[in-house]
Amino acid sequence: MISRRSFCKKSILILGGIAVPLAALELFDPKKLAADRSGPSTVRWVFLVDTHKCVGCGFCVKACKIENEIPYDANVSRTWVERYVVTRDGKVHIDSPKAARDGFTSTSIDQGALGMLKIENSDIDKAFFVPKLCNQCDNPPCVQVCPVGATYQTSDGVVLVDRSWCIGCGYCVMACPYGVRFFHPVYHAAEKCNFCYHRISKGMKPVCVEACPFGARRIGNIRDPNDPVTRIIMTERVNVLKEEYGTKPQVFYVGLTREVK
Amino acid sequence: MVHGEAWTVKELFVYPNEYIYWTIQIVMYPFMTGLVAGAFVLSSLYHVFGVKQLKEIARFSLVFSFALLPVAMMPLLLHLQFPLRGIEVMLTPHFTSAIAAFGIVFTSYGMIVASELWFVYRRYFVETALDLRKATQRGVTQQARYLLYSLLTLGAWDIGEHALEKDERAVKMLAGLGIPVACFLHGYAGFIFGSVKANALWMTPLMPVIFICSAVVSGIALCIITYIATMELRTLRARKRQQRPESGADTEMQSNEIQVVTMTSRYLLMFLVLAITLELLDLIFRGYTAVKSWDILRSVIYGKDFVNIFVIQYGLGNLLPFILLLLPRLTIRRTVAGTLLVLLGVFMMRWNVVIGGQAFSSSFAGFMHYHLPIWPESLETFKEGLAGALLVAATPFVLFWGLCKILPVFPVDESR
Ligand code: SF4
Ligand code: SF4
């Protein structure tokens, strides 16, 4: 008969073994942890947004929705355009009705549950538009928190989501300071802009870049010193959003003002 | 409809993709996990620190903690968009994620509690099995019971003095080991929130500690109230069986009960003070340092969520029970009221953290309101609404009832 002592010993060993899932044994290979970026990639995609050029027509949003199969009427979008209206009393009014899919057709500000706010032209100090999209952060918190590695970063810097692997916990949605993530209404997995990875990896441009009639959106390769976008980023005064979070955003803005959130 | 749209109302400027994504189930998650940890800590007070007065409730809370354990995971599963893929967190954990460690911590903790239970009840298993073996004619149920208990002994039939002593030592060791793991289990539930740097309300290293303290508070409170309820039920049943009001048995039970309850509520008060102090410290610190996000935080804390935080959580959930339990000559009825309020307070604390943390947009220029789906119109509103929460809340009691059939929590002569 098995002695109690040896029984206890054995069961502790077995239970301990079960407690550590097999995959955990791979824990100590740091290269596998962060998606491997040590490869000799000559590409690092970056984006440049010129807010002086954006007129808020929303062509980019419309094109993006169609290209990336985000249900047209769903109240989510991979990219959107914000309108900023600063009034004489110093107040900042912001809106982005339906993500500006149809452009800004009314001068009233959409305040959600509080209704529409009518602002007299004479009260306006300044007004402008700011397009937003995933920043493809260099230190992406969404990749950091994903419990199963469904969100990962490629060697050329773009953060992608594996729809077949996402468990739909929403941790990445919470972790992104820019609020760009959402759940796809059809596939139910986490969703966001990926710079049209299916296009840029084939030498094409993202569809929003192509759709913008004013050249407010551009994409470039920061590892190529001769890239026109790289030259602007390196030589002109550009800015990024919410730098304080340490996410190292890779979408650069020309003409960003302090009102932009 | 987009996930989250059914219960989110937006006000002023909120980013187009922002909704309340973490709903009532994510409130239930730290609440239930907290109860597990708290109940375990309560049982360990006796097993490890030898607080003799808690002997009665120690075994009770250990079994209860085990019944609560599977329920800690339930809200998470109900909340996932792909519940069937949930197991992948265990199979392909991504170790930079706080949630990924859940499986491991949870499993180890579960094993500790299970082994401790086994050592506590081993003698009972052996004795029951031996008793049943003696019976010459066993019915179907008796045969099943015999098999069950024989199986539960796991082949360790020795109940000599020496072996029992060893059991006791093992219990002590496991209970000791269990405390840090229980705290870790819950502390890291706090870490899941505290480490979200994108959220101004959650982002504080104090979060895990605050969570642990209020976990212990809620765990003890739930144990007290369940203990009282079970005791009362037993008294009622005993009275029915005897049908003799003059019998002294239940008055004895009553006085015994009140003693255990008073003692336990002392510990409850102690942890309550600790929890409130930490929470207030966090609040004062935020106001004092007033970093960029304070403007919007203040408007949520002192404006939109004022009633939830100051009236329900601090007032009804902390201050009132504190007075109720502190006043001399504690009665059972007052304890019931006090502990129920404490549970409300802890629940509201979770609510205010999880829902309150999402009440403002990352744009810092707008607000979101959560309307708890009451009537389940779809699977989504069932899972993440009142019905889902009630389902989660009721499960541990069903499990506890089932467990009690196998592991009697009240002194039976032959068990220890
Ligand atoms: S902007 Fe948000 S979703 Fe995009 S990489 Fe950064 S953290 Fe991730
Ligand atoms: S929702 Fe999907 S992609 Fe996002 S953290 Fe969870 S598993 Fe990862």
Side-chain angles (χ1 to χ4, degrees), chain A residues 4 21 23 75 77 82 111 113 144-147 163 166-169 171 174-175 180 187 242 244-245 261, chain B residues 5 10 12 15 17 19 22 79 81-82 85 90-91 94 96-97 163 167 192 197-198 292 358 362-363:
Chain A
R4 208 161 55 88
N75 285 322
S77 180
E82 291 166 8
Q111 301 186 99
Q144 182 186 31
V145 300
C146 179
R163 257 181 211 161
C166 169
I167 59 173
C169 61
Y171 205 5
M174 291 294 143
V180 302
Y187 302 112
K242 305 193 182 190
E244 66 274 18
Y245 287 105
K261 312 266 188 179
Chain B
E5 212 175 347
K10 300 182 178 189
L12 297 170
Y15 291 138
N17 297 338
Y19 290 96
W22 280 3
H79 171 259
Q81 293 287 294
F82 301 98
R85 290 185 197 164
M90 307 272 280
L91 300 179
H94 202 244
T96 51
S97 167
D167 280 1
I192 292 181
K197 62 180 168 188
K292 191 173 161 192
Q358 297 171 82
S362 318
S363 70

Side-chain angles (χ1 to χ4, degrees), chain A residues 1-2 4-5 7-8 15-16 18-21 23-24 27 32-35 74-78 80 82 84 94-96 98-99 110-114 132 139 141 143-149 151 162-171 173-183 185 187-189 242 244-247 261, chain B residues 1-3 5 9-22 26 79-83 85-100 103-104 107-108 111 115 118-119 122 153-158 162-164 166-167 173 191-193 195-200 202 292 358 362-365 369 380:
Chain A
M1 197 163 116
I2 179 169
R4 208 161 55 88
R5 168 177 282 262
F7 168 75
C8 291
L15 292 181
I18 302 173
V20 183
L27 168 66
K32 283 207 177 134
L33 286 185
N75 285 322
V76 281
S77 180
R78 284 185 172 204
W80 69 88
E82 291 166 8
Y84 286 75
I94 320 167
D95 71 345
S96 180
K98 280 239 164 229
D110 180 0
Q111 301 186 99
L114 296 185
K132 294 265 180 91
N139 178 23
V143 173
Q144 182 186 31
V145 300
C146 179
V148 290
T151 290
D162 184 340
R163 257 181 211 161
S164 65
W165 210 247
C166 169
I167 59 173
C169 61
Y171 205 5
V173 185
M174 291 294 143
C176 171
Y178 306 95
V180 302
R181 285 186 165 244
F182 57 98
F183 283 107
Y187 302 112
H188 303 293
K242 305 193 182 190
E244 66 274 18
Y245 287 105
T247 53
K261 312 266 188 179
Chain B
M1 209 185 245
V2 177
H3 179 53
E5 212 175 347
V9 173
K10 300 182 178 189
E11 190 183 310
L12 297 170
F13 178 63
V14 173
Y15 291 138
N17 297 338
E18 273 185 311
Y19 290 96
I20 307 262
Y21 286 107
W22 280 3
I26 301 297
H79 171 259
L80 292 186
Q81 293 287 294
F82 301 98
R85 290 185 197 164
I87 190 69
E88 278 168 20
V89 177
M90 307 272 280
L91 300 179
T92 57
H94 202 244
F95 283 95
T96 51
S97 167
I99 290 187
I104 295 168
T107 326
S108 347
M111 285 174 191
S115 346
W118 185 74
F119 280 112
R122 198 179 67 83
T153 61
L154 298 174
W157 293 88
D158 181 3
H162 191 58
L164 289 181
K166 271 194 188 160
D167 280 1
M173 199 192 77
F191 186 85
I192 292 181
F193 296 99
S195 63
V196 177
K197 62 180 168 188
N199 191 303
W202 296 345
K292 191 173 161 192
Q358 297 171 82
S362 318
S363 70
F364 287 174
H369 305 284
E380 188 171 83

Side-chain angles (χ1 to χ4, degrees), chain B residues 206-333:
Chain B
L206 269 187
M207 202 56 97
V209 198
I210 294 180
F211 266 58
I212 292 174
C213 287
S214 52
V216 178
V217 171
S218 65
I220 298 183
L222 186 67
C223 280
I224 295 182
I225 193 111
T226 322
Y227 181 78
I228 293 178
T230 331
M231 277 307 223
E232 295 295 311
L233 270 179
R234 270 161 48 96
T235 323
L236 214 73
R237 217 181 286 161
R239 205 178 291 161
K240 248 200 203 140
R241 212 177 293 141
Q242 293 172 342
Q243 286 298 350
R244 269 185 314 182
E246 69 271 22
S247 124
D250 36 296
T251 41
E252 213 172 86
M253 207 182 250
Q254 283 274 357
S255 67
N256 194 4
E257 185 184 342
I258 189 82
Q259 210 182 345
V260 172
V261 165
T262 323
M263 192 60 208
T264 318
S265 9
R266 295 254 165 78
Y267 283 91
L268 174 67
L269 280 179
M270 204 173 78
F271 282 106
L272 188 63
V273 172
L274 202 62
I276 305 174
T277 316
L278 278 172
E279 272 173 56
L280 289 181
L281 183 68
D282 182 52
L283 194 64
I284 294 168
F285 192 81
R286 283 169 191 278
Y288 188 77
T289 49
V291 291
K292 191 173 161 192
S293 56
W294 177 241
D295 271 341
I296 190 110
L297 278 190
R298 188 180 43 205
S299 62
V300 168
I301 295 174
Y302 294 111
K304 312 245 165 209
D305 273 359
F306 183 85
V307 176
N308 279 352
I309 296 179
F310 291 97
V311 180
I312 307 186
Q313 183 189 331
Y314 288 126
L316 278 180
N318 293 346
L319 190 66
L320 191 60
F322 187 77
I323 298 172
L324 281 178
L325 295 177
L326 203 63
L327 286 178
R329 283 191 297 283
L330 192 62
T331 60
I332 292 282
R333 207 170 291 163

Side-chain angles (χ1 to χ4, degrees), chain A residues 89-164:
Chain A
D89 53 8
K91 285 213 182 88
V92 187
H93 305 275
I94 320 167
D95 71 345
S96 180
K98 280 239 164 229
R101 180 192 77 186
D102 308 319
F104 292 87
T105 47
S106 148
T107 50
S108 301
I109 295 282
D110 180 0
Q111 301 186 99
L114 296 185
M116 303 298 278
L117 177 73
K118 186 105 194 77
I119 297 178
E120 294 299 324
N121 277 350
S122 55
D123 280 341
I124 298 176
D125 248 352
K126 62 176 172 185
F128 53 90
F129 302 97
V130 179
K132 294 265 180 91
L133 66 166
C134 169
N135 287 282
Q136 313 299 349
C137 307
D138 222 23
N139 178 23
C142 55
V143 173
Q144 182 186 31
V145 300
C146 179
V148 290
T151 290
Y152 61 100
Q153 191 171 29
T154 59
S155 57
D156 46 15
V158 179
V159 174
L160 302 176
V161 186
D162 184 340
R163 257 181 211 161
S164 65

Side-chain angles (χ1 to χ4, degrees), chain B residues 28-40:
Chain B
M28 292 304 282
Y29 162 61
F31 186 63
M32 299 315 283
T33 323
L35 296 175
V36 179
F40 186 81

